[in-house]
Amino acid sequence: MKRFALLSALLVGTAAQAATITIATVNNPDMVTMQKLTPEFTKKYPDIQVKWVVLPENELRQKVTLDVASGAGSFDVATVGAYEVPIWAKNGWLNPLTPMFAKDAAIAKAYNLNDIIPGVRGALTVGGNLYAVPFYAESSMTFYNKDLFKKAGITMPVQPTWQQVQGFAAKINDPKNGVYGICLRGLPGWGENMAFFTTMVNTFGGRWYDNNWQAQLNSPAWKTALNFYVDMMKKSGPPGATSNGFTENLTLMSQGKCGMWVDATVAAGLLSDASSSKIVNSVGFANAPVGPGTTRGNHWYWSWNLAIPKSTKQADAAFKFLTWATSKEYIALVAKTKGNWAAVPPGTRTSTYTNAAYKKAAGAFSSLVQNAINSADVTKATKDAVPYTGIQYVAIPEFQALGTQVGQYVAGALSGQTTVDQALTQAQDAANKVAKDGKYQK
Amino acid sequence: MTAQAIPASSPPTTRQGFRFTPSVMMWPALLYLILTTQAPFFLTIYYSFFQRNLQLPMASYPFVGLDNYIGLFKDPQNLSVIWNTLVLTGGVLIITLVLGGLLAMLLNRPFMGRALVRTILISSFLIMPVVTAVVWKNLLLNYDYGFFSWLIKALGGSPVAWLTVHPMATVITMVSWEWTPFAMLILLTGLQSLPDDQIEAARLDGANPWQEFRHIVLPHWTQALEVVILLETLNVLQVYGEIAISTAGGPGVASTNLPYYISQKLLVEGNIGVGSAAGVVAVILTNLLAVFMLRLINRNTQVGGH
């Protein structure tokens, strides 16, 4: 009996002292660093214990979605993509952070919300409330191989057009020697080929839906864009591009096999890293190409953010963690631990880009990345008005399905299994079905 | 009548109430099995009647009856998914049975270093599916620096982008490479239990090698073939890692099989209703195929044997 009393006193005692928070995150390198820096957090907040659930993107997304949707409350801090934040906020699954910042003046002052890049903040704000804070953010840009450009006698402008890119690609292409003019994503998936291809469609003047949620995938703009993409990839791209996603293209590019590559800004750091790239001294950076339709929407926008699910019972402790892991102080801590400013989580804070040490370490691409993120506007990415937000995605719950399905049709056209017209007819039907089933069309 | 017969025949030691027979001791295990195997299956069936997307709030998931199933069969793309599943399974079965059988007959003869050769031949079965796919995709099949491209170029040909041009054939090759050792091992065991005197007798009777194979070896192989076909059908129907890593089901849906399709519906789309319906279809298909395969093999091997 005595022992039982002692035990329960012990349990109650520890429960009162320490809060334990469980954090769900993706196994990307930047998040693994965050996990490794946990001791620094517990040094600052000794009364908070931290547990981690680190998973690959798809599994994490499924696990976290299931958890917040059912209100199970296993996670106190969740890593949520830019696509999910507005959807989940509307579903009432996330704690609004604005009131929490208002409540805790000390944290709010040290955190300085105004330092967060406005476009990034905008993407996480729904109805005037901030629902998540950005851990790192990325946009898209053009990478090119200066040596191959010099050999072909051409120069890359800071802001290329797709027509120019097509011309460059044709000049550089030399498949006999294993060199391709341009490498682009072809692997089907809403986060693979469609992330890239939607930016191309946007800047060719296309859009997924008009303001009445009528699908626009058989419009001339989509046709021109898809024909252009398929044609250029067939003439000057690597064979078998339908199995190339981000990783495969990164390998091809860093082995010096591609003249150009248009993809996520995060690759800039990887291509500049001598341990993984053979083209450290010849890699060049430019903005993502603009198309004939509009200058808008050629850059995409993506971020991984930390949010507090509604179901948590440790909102205060969670808030402390999330403001710590996305603070200016944390970014400096990563730079110190890694001994390299170029390795900090990019794309979230203006202060990172005005930091002299960062400019020195990532000077070759930092201003282009900042520009790409600043000019990516999730609310104005297309020539004509649209009823959705998002640049390389449509922020409706059904888009993961739709984007992947259309991605398969696009890959089918790229591999020559179907014609461009067939692919777009199928895609148009799928998009209209989603709009009808989801009761978006009035 | 029977009610009167039972007490008369029951042993006199048990008078009334609970009878502790051996079958009672099986109940906990049975209950455990029912809970762990059947409950999830019935839940899957239950979910398949609802329109439910993980990304939509809890409140809105209406009962839609058979809509998910009808939707599955109405979309011509999904029929090609089922067709792909059959082609993949059938293709792998044929290739592994032929190759495995030939290798088994080879290994059944004594020769120098047989144990070593057998170990080497088995090794591809011991590699995890995802690793297989990574190795094949990046080291063997890659257009630029894959081994096959190098080989073809060295022989003066032009390389092929296998995963784009022949996605299904490539997946079949990969899976067959994994499962041939399995077929080989089981068939080898079958051969080794074949008494030598039977073969001798057949040879004395003047049977040629084909007749010997057709009338002695093949009938004797019946059980081994059954094991191989049944286990392989069940396992190859479930192939997922190889496809996810190498082709992501594409291009188009050229290499999407049922498991990959279900995972797309559930993991990527969060579409519980349609995913569950596809899962139920997969279970039915698996059972049908297993029964069909067993019947086929039984009929063919036994009729010829006597």
Side-chain angles (χ1 to χ4, degrees):
Chain A
M1 198 58 210
K2 211 185 219 168
R3 199 158 48 163
F4 177 72
L6 198 71
L7 194 70
S8 56
L10 206 72
L11 283 173
V12 171
T14 46
Q17 270 173 15
T20 303
I21 52 171
T22 308
I23 300 164
T25 198
V26 189
N27 64 352
N28 292 353
D30 285 304
M31 283 77 161
V32 173
T33 308
M34 167 164 74
Q35 189 192 2
K36 281 194 190 131
L37 289 172
T38 311
E40 298 288 333
F41 173 74
T42 38
K43 214 187 277 171
K44 192 173 175 191
Y45 297 103
D47 54 339
I48 302 177
Q49 303 273 320
V50 179
K51 277 202 281 185
W52 289 93
V53 175
V54 186
L55 291 169
E57 180 173 338
N58 276 343
E59 274 138 69
L60 180 94
R61 180 173 279 126
Q62 189 204 16
K63 206 161 196 159
V64 173
T65 308
L66 195 64
D67 187 72
V68 294
S70 61
S74 336
F75 305 121
D76 304 296
V77 176
T79 308
V80 187
Y83 164 73
E84 283 96 357
V85 171
I87 298 171
W88 288 15
K90 270 177 218 144
N91 289 352
W93 291 351
L94 299 176
N95 260 331
L97 300 178
T98 310
M100 302 185 87
F101 274 109
K103 211 172 71 185
D104 197 329
I107 285 185
K109 187 160 175 285
Y111 191 79
N112 189 9
L113 271 176
N114 287 328
D115 188 30
I116 293 181
I117 294 174
V120 178
R121 212 173 353 138
L124 305 174
T125 307
V126 179
N129 264 321
L130 189 68
Y131 279 89
V133 283
F135 183 69
Y136 75 75
E138 65 174 32
S139 184
S140 60
M141 63 198 285
T142 307
F143 309 99
Y144 65 100
N145 189 319
K146 286 183 192 159
D147 289 349
L148 295 175
F149 267 66
K150 206 183 277 169
K151 215 167 110 192
I154 42 181
T155 44
M156 171 71 86
V158 177
Q159 179 57 73
T161 66
W162 273 115
Q163 296 296 340
Q164 287 173 321
V165 166
Q166 188 187 33
F168 297 159
K171 273 190 187 149
I172 293 169
N173 196 43
D174 182 10
K176 280 215 182 80
N177 292 313
V179 170
Y180 308 108
I182 187 161
C183 300
L184 297 170
R185 294 187 189 189
L187 188 71
W190 76 280
E192 282 287 0
N193 64 349
M194 290 321 285
F196 162 76
F197 187 65
T198 303
T199 64
M200 197 162 171
V201 166
N202 286 340
T203 196
F204 270 69
R207 53 186 168 166
W208 278 83
Y209 292 102
D210 72 4
N211 254 340
N212 299 316
W213 286 99
Q214 299 294 326
Q216 300 292 312
L217 280 75
N218 57 1
S219 64
W222 272 81
K223 260 178 211 166
T224 321
L226 189 54
N227 272 316
F228 188 91
Y229 166 76
V230 170
D231 195 49
M232 182 168 65
M233 288 301 280
K234 273 189 183 154
K235 275 188 193 142
S236 342
T242 53
S243 39
N244 294 352
F246 173 81
T247 322
E248 290 79 6
N249 283 322
L250 177 65
T251 311
L252 283 171
M253 186 74 198
S254 58
Q255 299 291 318
K257 291 189 171 292
C258 309
M260 286 168 283
W261 177 33
V262 181
D263 215 297
T265 49
V266 64
L270 301 170
L271 290 172
S272 313
D273 182 353
S275 67
S276 60
S277 167
K278 281 187 186 164
I279 57 159
V280 177
N281 297 317
S282 55
V283 60
F285 308 97
N287 281 319
V290 291
T294 171
T295 53
R296 279 182 190 168
N298 62 326
H299 292 124
W300 75 52
Y301 171 76
W302 183 257
S303 63
W304 278 114
N305 319 281
L306 301 180
I308 306 177
K310 258 275 158 59
S311 48
T312 179
K313 289 176 193 74
Q314 305 281 2
D316 284 337
F319 183 67
K320 280 176 188 154
F321 181 85
L322 138 170
T323 46
W324 172 80
T326 58
S327 65
K328 211 172 142 179
E329 175 199 343
Y330 173 84
I331 291 172
L333 183 68
V334 174
K336 203 181 113 200
T337 341
K338 293 214 159 181
N340 177 12
W341 262 93
V344 303
T348 56
R349 286 177 169 268
T350 314
S351 59
T352 308
Y353 290 90
T354 53
N355 183 310
Y358 184 74
K359 272 189 184 163
K360 197 170 157 231
F365 54 82
S366 72
S367 62
L368 276 167
V369 172
Q370 191 189 11
N371 173 41
I373 291 174
N374 277 334
S375 63
D377 184 345
V378 293
T379 59
K380 280 194 208 68
T382 50
K383 185 171 152 226
D384 303 308
V386 289
Y388 57 86
T389 57
I391 300 175
Q392 80 283 21
Y393 54 82
V394 177
I396 54 172
E398 296 88 347
F399 185 74
Q400 297 191 36
L402 176 62
T404 302
Q405 202 177 351
V406 175
Q408 283 176 332
Y409 299 140
V410 168
L414 180 59
S415 73
Q417 275 195 333
T418 61
T419 66
V420 164
D421 284 351
Q422 282 169 337
L424 289 181
T425 310
Q426 290 172 311
Q428 168 78 2
D429 290 346
N432 261 333
K433 184 170 185 298
V434 162
K436 253 179 235 144
D437 288 355
K439 304 199 172 58
Y440 296 97
Q441 284 177 2
K442 294 278 151 30
Chain B
M1 285 261 293
T2 46
Q4 282 169 338
I6 286 168
S9 64
S10 64
T13 45
T14 60
R15 291 198 181 117
Q16 61 193 53
F18 186 71
R19 278 178 59 194
F20 198 77
T21 58
S23 73
V24 173
M25 294 176 74
M26 277 167 55
W27 288 357
L30 202 65
L31 197 71
Y32 172 78
L33 263 183
I34 289 171
L35 276 179
T36 51
T37 63
Q38 299 310 298
F41 181 60
F42 282 115
L43 268 181
T44 309
I45 295 179
Y46 172 79
Y47 282 133
S48 71
F49 295 124
F50 289 89
Q51 183 193 339
R52 172 112 169 82
N53 188 322
L54 274 185
Q55 293 256 347
L56 297 170
M58 220 26 184
S60 58
Y61 65 106
F63 178 81
V64 291
L66 289 173
D67 274 13
N68 288 332
Y69 291 93
I70 295 168
L72 274 181
F73 285 102
K74 246 185 168 167
D75 191 342
Q77 186 189 299
N78 296 345
L79 294 180
S80 70
V81 169
I82 293 179
W83 175 241
N84 284 345
T85 314
L86 297 178
V87 168
L88 175 60
T89 313
V92 171
L93 262 182
I94 293 169
I95 293 176
T96 52
L97 280 178
V98 170
L99 275 183
L102 288 175
L103 287 171
M105 287 194 268
L106 208 68
L107 285 178
N108 197 34
R109 291 155 192 266
F111 60 89
M112 263 265 292
R114 185 166 70 153
L116 183 73
V117 171
R118 196 167 48 196
T119 315
I120 291 172
L121 283 175
I122 291 166
S123 57
S124 68
F125 186 58
L126 305 176
I127 295 174
M128 282 179 273
V130 171
V131 177
T132 301
V134 169
V135 168
W136 276 74
K137 180 183 183 185
N138 295 316
L139 299 181
L140 297 178
L141 298 174
N142 186 291
Y143 184 88
D144 288 298
Y145 27 79
F147 173 75
F148 290 138
S149 290
W150 173 82
L151 194 70
I152 291 172
K153 266 189 259 178
L155 295 174
S158 56
V160 180
W162 300 101
L163 292 168
T164 300
V165 188
H166 307 293
M168 187 42 107
T170 314
V171 174
I172 291 179
T173 313
M174 266 194 279
V175 180
S176 303
W177 179 78
E178 283 180 299
W179 282 91
T180 302
F182 175 79
M184 179 193 84
L185 270 185
I186 307 281
L187 293 178
L188 181 61
T189 326
L191 274 186
Q192 282 173 345
S193 68
L194 180 66
D196 288 341
D197 50 359
Q198 271 194 32
I199 299 267
E200 251 173 71
R203 283 187 189 153
L204 283 177
D205 288 345
N208 63 26
W210 167 247
Q211 285 168 332
E212 185 188 314
F213 174 77
R214 180 73 187 86
H215 298 288
I216 307 288
V217 177
L218 204 58
H220 187 80
W221 253 352
T222 309
Q223 273 192 329
L225 283 171
E226 271 178 20
V227 171
V228 173
I229 289 177
L230 196 66
L231 288 183
E232 265 191 33
T233 306
L234 295 181
N235 278 291
V236 176
L237 279 174
Q238 296 171 15
V239 159
Y240 172 78
E242 294 87 338
I243 292 174
I245 299 286
S246 64
T247 61
V253 287
S255 59
T256 303
N257 67 348
L258 262 174
Y260 188 76
Y261 178 82
I262 294 169
S263 83
Q264 285 280 305
K265 291 287 151 199
L266 291 174
L267 295 177
V268 180
E269 305 174 13
N271 198 333
I272 302 286
V274 175
S276 301
V280 173
V281 172
V283 170
I284 295 171
L285 189 77
T286 310
N287 281 298
L288 282 178
L289 263 182
V291 170
F292 171 75
M293 286 292 180
L294 281 183
R295 289 249 169 100
L296 195 75
I297 189 80
N298 270 330
R299 204 170 53 223
N300 278 346
T301 48
Q302 276 167 4
V303 167
H306 302 286

